[in-house]
């Protein structure tokens, strides 16, 4: 059984896609052991509770120092003892300590085709605003392993999505979620649960 901890910051539609895929068997042999949010009012926490999954929040404002916040996040992870950490719209950069501890066992979903529109400052709706500004005709989503850099880890899965002439950042975000994110994130977790993904080198 693969134990996963899911880290979130907002609405949690990707979390919901994982919950649904575990429930209907598209993700095999996997249990979501804890959901961790850095926002106390994130709707993702409610989604977890609705499905009987333990949900906790660890917010930056609870701690005077960033270091203490990072330690609290690590503790929240360690308590859950996950085999895999899934960043599903988690908009905090993880500390080097967490990355070291879970090296090769953290994956992230990013709403563009990396290496386009990624790195520092590219998150959520901003990614789609920049894609529209640049006038790309194809965008998409990427699932990748997390390393010490920002969106630089090994790419596991990508899916392309068409940009339409009349798109707004919101309509494009929705299409990228529906056609790409909600599919490739559960698919990747299932592949990891089946042991069919390995990092070489
Ligand atoms: C998703 O589009 C996800 O790809 C993005 O935040 C959104 C969260 O939505 N993540 C990033 O931008 C990470 N750099 P959700 O809370 O509904 O899953």
């Amino acid at each position: 059984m693969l134990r996963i901890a899911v880290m979130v910051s907002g609405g949690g539609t990707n979390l919901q896609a994982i919950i649904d895929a575990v429930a209907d068997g598209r993700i095999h042999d996997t249990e979501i052991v804890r959901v961790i949010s850095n926002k106390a009012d994130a709707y993702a926490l409610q989604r977890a509770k609705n499905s009987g999954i333990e949900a906790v929040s660890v917010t930056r404002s609870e701690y005077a120092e960033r270091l203490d916040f990072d330690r609290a996040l690590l503790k929240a992870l360690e308590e859950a003892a996950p085999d895999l950490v899934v960043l599903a719209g988690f908009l905090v950069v993880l500390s080097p300590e967490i990355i070291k501890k879970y090296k090769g066992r953290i994956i992230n979903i990013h709403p563009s085709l990396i290496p386009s529109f990624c790195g520092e400052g590219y998150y959520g709706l901003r990614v789609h605003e920049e894609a529209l500004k640049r006038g790309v005709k194809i965008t998409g989503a990427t699932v990748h392993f997390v390393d010490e850099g920002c969106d630089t880890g090994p790419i596991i899965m990508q899916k392309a999505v068409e940009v339409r002439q009349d798109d707004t950042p919101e309509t494009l975000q929705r299409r990228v979620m529906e056609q790409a994110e909600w599919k490739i994130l559960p698919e990747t977790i299932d592949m990891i649960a089946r042991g069919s993904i390995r990092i070489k080198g």
Side-chain angles (χ1 to χ4, degrees):
M1 180 72 79
L2 183 79
R3 296 170 59 84
I4 64 173
V6 184
M7 302 183 84
V8 295
S9 297
T13 64
N14 278 285
L15 167 68
Q16 191 66 54
I18 299 168
I19 292 172
D20 294 346
V22 168
D24 69 20
R26 277 175 294 130
I27 298 178
H28 294 80
D29 248 347
T30 296
E31 186 188 353
I32 305 171
V33 290
R34 182 176 265 196
V35 169
I36 301 168
S37 172
N38 69 308
K39 298 258 185 253
D41 59 352
Y43 184 64
L45 289 170
Q46 191 56 48
R47 292 182 190 269
K49 284 177 194 153
N50 292 346
S51 296
I53 300 165
E54 191 198 14
V56 299
S57 66
V58 178
T59 63
R60 177 66 184 87
S61 57
E62 288 173 84
Y63 303 92
E65 302 295 331
R66 168 77 204 220
L67 199 67
D68 295 323
F69 170 61
D70 289 337
R71 284 199 184 124
L73 279 179
L74 178 60
K75 187 163 170 271
L77 277 175
E78 282 175 341
E79 284 166 1
D83 303 309
L84 179 72
V85 178
V86 179
L87 308 185
F90 187 61
L91 304 182
V92 172
V93 176
L94 290 179
S95 68
E97 204 185 347
I98 293 181
I99 290 168
K100 199 169 148 208
K101 164 121 206 222
Y102 291 95
K103 185 127 199 181
R105 293 194 291 143
I106 311 175
I107 62 170
N108 178 49
I109 177 91
H110 183 77
S112 75
L113 295 173
I114 290 176
S116 290
F117 310 112
C118 65
E120 233 167 277
Y122 285 93
Y123 58 87
L125 211 53
R126 277 236 30 215
V127 177
H128 305 292
E129 285 166 1
E130 292 303 315
L132 288 178
K133 248 191 236 165
R134 187 63 187 83
V136 294
K137 305 302 173 216
I138 299 284
T139 183
T142 303
V143 181
H144 64 94
F145 283 109
V146 173
D147 66 6
E148 295 73 11
C150 192
D151 298 329
T152 52
I155 292 171
I156 304 169
M157 216 183 275
Q158 291 188 304
K159 196 161 193 301
V161 173
E162 187 193 356
V163 180
R164 295 191 189 144
Q165 195 73 39
D166 58 353
D167 264 329
T168 62
E170 290 79 9
T171 60
L172 183 56
Q173 178 182 52
R174 182 74 192 180
R175 191 174 322 108
V176 168
M177 284 176 159
E178 281 176 355
Q179 295 185 4
E181 297 186 44
W182 301 343
K183 294 190 169 141
I184 62 175
L185 187 56
E187 277 174 30
T188 301
I189 295 169
D190 183 53
M191 286 175 76
I192 292 173
R194 291 170 183 273
S196 49
I197 295 179
R198 257 182 305 131
I199 303 180
K200 279 190 177 172

